[in-house]
Amino acid sequence: MTAPARAGVEEGQKAVFRTRRERQRAVIGALSALALIFSAVVATGGWFDGTLQRYVYDVVITNAAAPINNQTVIVALDDHTIRTYGRWPLPRRAYSDLLDRLSPSKPSVIAFDVGFYEPSDRPADDDALAAAIARAGNVILAVNGTGTGQYQNGVQTYTRLDLPLPMFRQGAAGLASVNVNPDDDGKIRTAQLIIEGPDGTRIERFYGLPLVAAARHLRGDLGKAEVRDGRLSFPAALAPRVVPLDRGGGMPIYFAAPPTEPLAERGRPTACAPSKAFCVLSLADVTSGAVDAKEFVGKPVFVGAHSASGLADDYAVPNGEGRKMFGVEIWANAAQSIYANRFAVTKQSAPVTLLAMAVLATAGILLVFRYRVAGFLAALALGTVVSLGQYLFFVAAATDRVGRGITEVPSIGYLVPSVVWWVATLGYLLVEEQMALSTTRSTFGRFVAPSVARTILEREESGRLALGGEHKRVTVLFGDIRGFTTLAEGMAPEALLDTLNRYFDGMVTIVERYEGTVNKYNGDNIMVIWGAPLEVQDQARKAVACALELQKFIQSERAKGGPDVSFGFGINTGSVVAGFLGARGRMEYTVIGDTANVASRLTSSDIARRDQVAVSAATLAELGDDVSYIDLGRVAVKGRAEPVACFQVDRVGALSNPNPAPPPERPVTVAAVAGYH
């Protein structure tokens, strides 16, 4: 890049940040762009699927349960059953008794969450069970993948499979996997629908127990099932089913029913009553005939461990509310989703999620930019309304008021980070405004003494900034350049202004060191106050010491060459009215009263002679004993009926005037007209 081009780029960059408003717009634009990029990366990468969105999913599933349209019956291997048959594992006879009892009722399917992988110690019981399975003709048996499952292409692949004994498989209506895969927080949110593993020398594919049971109940054909674009579809009698799958082949479970209480805690029902939960009946009660056979007619039946002490077959679930759910209930919930054709996907699609994130983040940023804190609150309200609207729509879908099939849980978890961008925007603007306030105060302090500036700002913030004043005891110093008219006639205006500024700049530094407040300049005059607006201890002594040091500074500057500048200082101590004078639209801080007038008159060249400091008796009385002074006598000054006792101070403590004047040759009785105009 050439030097002119580089200079042009740098000038363009400077132009962007030339004003605070332009800088803010540039930063807000950058924040908006970052929010959009962040949204795109997060939404497409699924960053919050396992954190924020998982929490949203749990809350939604818990509070928007879908209706149970088909009353699934769960036959429980409970404590009562174990006691009845006298052992665990149950003898195979218990299961053959169950099938013989259920078969006449013709349930749509009997799905076992029980493994029949090894021969029992009673071969006759195995033979009886195999015969019962064949007679029923609608039994689904469990397959279990063992080892570490590898997820690939929507399938979980195992190195070994536990399969039912061949004698049982021959008469079964189907085989199905019963692998349970908790998320990293220990909760079950998905049902694994597709696994693969070796069956002898071949790799076989098995569908999950809820899918196989649901397909049989719906008279569907899994032989024609297709997996494409993250969805498994199969034809069914009433309508085809399209089941969403995650990347590992798991179906998000819409938990229509919460965990049921253990049978021992609620008694053992022998009939299925209308309920928001699944009907759970004890296997022993079914086989004993305590349960009417009509409870199973045309219904899917799941058989598994439930309400059995010491059997670790229960899991944390999103809608558990502190309770765990038995595995057989998890399969019933998963199958219920397929029956009802209602599937809750963990979040909305990436484009929809991205759009919602981008719109909410940028809208909130603009609101905060325009209205600051009020805009931040408005952005929070907007986010709440959007989230609530999405949630209500989901509830309507879950309760069959709108739509069917796949229902996306609103991506509210992905909207939460928008708050971070709003806070960042608000924080940046607050920093900007703090910097602007600091700059304003600094700039303000160039035109108004810092103590006065603080007083003005404090009173403005408290609502007390108004015309008027208060009585204060102060010490007032006036300084007047000797021979200013002659000096001005001999210098160009620019040179004169530069000279005055050079002297006043050094003088103000000294004044601030002695805690004085420069009240105003007027050409060749300077007015300084001690005791207003801020209280100052030993104000008279500090004022006189300051004046002596000012004389040292002025004389040293004059000695360096340049115009012959000299000052005379007059100082008086007493009561004044200090406050804001002027109009409501334009006011200034000053002091009014005889004390200020006398200090002004003391700058007369007859009293505060060249390079000298003159004080009143009131000021001298507060200086202490370590003072050297000359009594100038009682001088009549303009505006006073009585003469004013005047004194020339040459030393206070160790600080002295380098060029003290001798006593006047004749007493000063009347001072020339002088003062601050």
Side-chain angles (χ1 to χ4, degrees):
M1 183 181 292
T2 64
R6 188 181 300 109
V9 171
E10 293 175 353
E11 181 61 28
Q13 292 172 341
K14 292 178 181 178
V16 171
F17 296 99
R18 186 167 293 157
T19 68
R20 185 163 66 98
R21 194 69 175 175
E22 290 171 344
R23 181 171 63 252
Q24 287 180 352
R25 288 174 178 170
V27 172
I28 295 303
L31 282 174
S32 299
L34 285 174
L36 292 175
I37 294 171
F38 176 83
S39 299
V41 173
V42 167
T44 55
W47 283 17
F48 299 144
D49 286 3
T51 52
L52 295 174
Q53 189 58 28
R54 176 186 289 173
Y55 174 77
V56 172
Y57 178 83
D58 290 355
V59 171
V60 168
I61 292 301
T62 300
N63 294 287
I68 300 177
N69 298 326
N70 295 277
Q71 186 60 57
T72 298
V73 179
I74 294 174
V75 174
L77 312 183
D78 62 336
D79 287 334
H80 173 59
T81 299
I82 296 172
R83 287 194 300 269
T84 299
Y85 284 91
R87 57 178 284 189
W88 181 263
L90 293 177
R92 297 278 166 81
R93 178 172 59 86
Y95 302 113
S96 60
D97 289 347
L98 174 65
L99 292 176
D100 289 340
R101 191 70 184 177
L102 292 178
S103 295
S105 303
K106 298 189 181 301
S108 59
V109 62
I110 303 172
F112 276 91
D113 185 19
V114 181
F116 301 124
Y117 310 134
E118 301 291 339
S120 72
D121 56 352
R122 299 176 183 178
D125 286 358
D126 289 350
D127 293 337
L129 177 56
I133 291 173
R135 285 195 300 272
N138 60 354
V139 175
I140 309 298
L141 297 179
V143 173
N144 186 62
T146 60
T148 302
Q150 300 296 323
Y151 294 102
Q152 187 176 7
N153 300 323
V155 177
Q156 190 175 22
T157 303
Y158 289 94
T159 56
R160 188 168 70 85
L161 296 177
D162 291 329
L163 297 168
L165 293 173
M167 62 187 303
F168 300 140
R169 295 170 62 179
Q170 290 174 0
L175 303 180
S177 64
V178 291
N179 287 91
V180 178
N181 299 320
D183 289 335
D184 51 20
D185 63 350
K187 288 186 178 180
I188 301 295
R189 294 183 177 87
T190 59
Q192 186 64 38
L193 293 193
I194 308 175
I195 72 167
E196 288 183 350
D199 180 6
T201 58
R202 298 181 304 170
I203 298 297
E204 293 286 345
R205 170 173 291 193
F206 295 95
Y207 292 116
L209 186 68
L211 176 62
V212 177
R216 177 133 190 133
H217 176 73
L218 297 170
R219 299 193 300 279
D221 185 359
L222 287 179
K224 297 180 179 179
E226 293 184 352
V227 178
R228 182 182 302 168
D229 299 328
R231 297 183 178 184
L232 183 150
S233 60
F234 65 92
L238 296 178
R241 294 295 187 266
V242 179
V243 182
L245 299 176
D246 62 19
R247 284 173 288 187
M251 179 193 82
I253 302 173
Y254 200 132
F255 287 91
T260 57
E261 295 180 1
L263 294 178
E265 296 180 12
R266 59 188 176 95
R268 293 199 323 275
T270 56
C272 294
S275 172
K276 293 183 179 180
F278 295 112
C279 177
V280 181
L281 303 171
S282 171
L283 184 147
D285 288 337
V286 175
T287 58
S288 68
V291 178
D292 194 321
K294 67 179 182 180
E295 298 293 349
F296 307 101
V297 176
K299 295 179 180 179
V301 177
F302 284 82
V303 183
H306 190 294
S307 307
S309 303
L311 294 185
D313 192 29
D314 54 357
Y315 306 88
V317 291
N319 64 336
E321 298 182 344
R323 292 184 297 158
K324 290 186 175 182
M325 180 177 286
F326 291 100
V328 69
E329 287 184 276
I330 293 174
W331 302 137
N333 271 286
Q336 172 64 31
S337 294
I338 303 173
Y339 303 152
N341 195 26
R342 179 68 64 202
F343 308 101
V345 181
T346 53
K347 74 175 190 299
Q348 293 166 313
S349 63
V352 174
T353 302
L354 172 59
L355 179 63
M357 291 179 70
V359 170
L360 193 61
T362 53
I365 288 173
L366 294 177
L367 282 171
V368 174
F369 177 60
R370 179 66 179 84
Y371 301 107
R372 304 304 193 265
V373 175
F376 178 77
L377 295 177
L380 287 177
L382 175 63
T384 301
V385 169
V386 170
S387 300
L388 182 61
Q390 289 184 317
Y391 171 73
L392 292 176
F393 181 83
F394 179 87
V395 171
T399 53
D400 291 333
R401 295 192 184 106
V402 294
R404 290 194 65 78
I406 297 174
T407 306
E408 297 174 335
V409 172
S411 299
I412 297 173
Y414 281 80
L415 302 183
V416 172
S418 298
V419 179
V420 175
W421 298 108
W422 305 340
V423 171
T425 302
L426 182 61
Y428 161 70
L429 292 174
L430 291 177
V431 169
E432 270 279 4
E433 290 180 2
Q434 199 65 32
M435 292 171 58
L437 179 60
S438 178
T439 302
T440 300
R441 289 189 177 190
S442 176
T443 304
F444 195 27
R446 297 180 185 179
F447 299 90
V448 180
S451 58
V452 176
R454 287 195 297 272
T455 300
I456 292 173
L457 292 172
E458 288 170 0
R459 293 194 178 188
E460 173 66 27
E461 291 173 357
S462 62
R464 296 184 295 112
L465 184 60
L467 296 174
E470 56 186 340
H471 287 279
K472 282 183 172 290
R473 182 172 176 78
V474 301
T475 297
V476 182
L477 174 149
F478 277 93
D480 185 68
I481 296 180
R482 297 291 171 251
F484 180 73
T485 302
T486 303
L487 182 68
E489 290 175 350
M491 298 179 67
E494 294 83 0
L496 177 62
L497 186 62
D498 288 343
T499 299
L500 291 176
N501 285 337
R502 178 165 62 89
Y503 276 91
F504 282 140
D505 186 55
M507 292 168 67
V508 168
T509 301
I510 296 171
V511 168
E512 290 178 349
R513 192 163 68 243
Y514 282 90
E515 301 180 53
T517 296
V518 177
N519 184 256
K520 61 188 71 175
Y521 308 94
N522 189 19
D524 61 336
N525 244 289
I526 185 173
M527 177 181 177
V528 184
I529 307 169
W530 279 262
L534 303 179
E535 297 293 335
V536 177
Q537 298 295 322
D538 298 326
Q539 54 181 249
R541 188 177 178 90
K542 288 178 179 176
V544 174
C546 177
L548 291 173
E549 187 156 339
L550 288 174
Q551 289 293 17
K552 290 179 64 176
F553 165 74
I554 293 165
Q555 293 169 37
S556 66
E557 286 295 307
R558 189 171 67 223
K560 296 176 182 178
D564 185 16
V565 176
S566 63
F567 274 79
F569 293 110
I571 303 173
N572 188 25
T573 301
S575 179
V576 296
V577 175
F580 293 95
L581 175 70
R584 287 186 176 87
R586 175 68 174 89
M587 62 182 74
E588 66 177 15
Y589 187 86
T590 191
V591 295
I592 302 294
D594 184 63
T595 298
N597 292 335
V598 169
S600 174
R601 302 311 178 201
L602 292 180
T603 59
S604 167
S605 59
D606 296 317
I607 303 174
R609 293 171 288 173
R610 174 185 173 94
D611 296 337
Q612 305 307 309
V613 177
V615 304
S616 67
T619 299
L620 183 67
E622 297 188 11
L623 298 183
D625 297 331
D626 56 342
V627 179
S628 297
Y629 63 90
I630 296 174
D631 188 345
L632 300 177
R634 296 176 65 81
V635 182
V637 298
K638 183 178 179 180
R640 289 293 300 270
E642 297 294 329
V644 176
C646 302
F647 304 88
Q648 174 183 302
V649 177
D650 296 331
R651 180 183 63 83
V652 171
L655 189 62
S656 60
N657 189 336
N659 186 29
E665 296 179 357
R666 52 189 174 82
V668 181
T669 57
V670 179
V673 176
Y676 183 74
H677 305 290

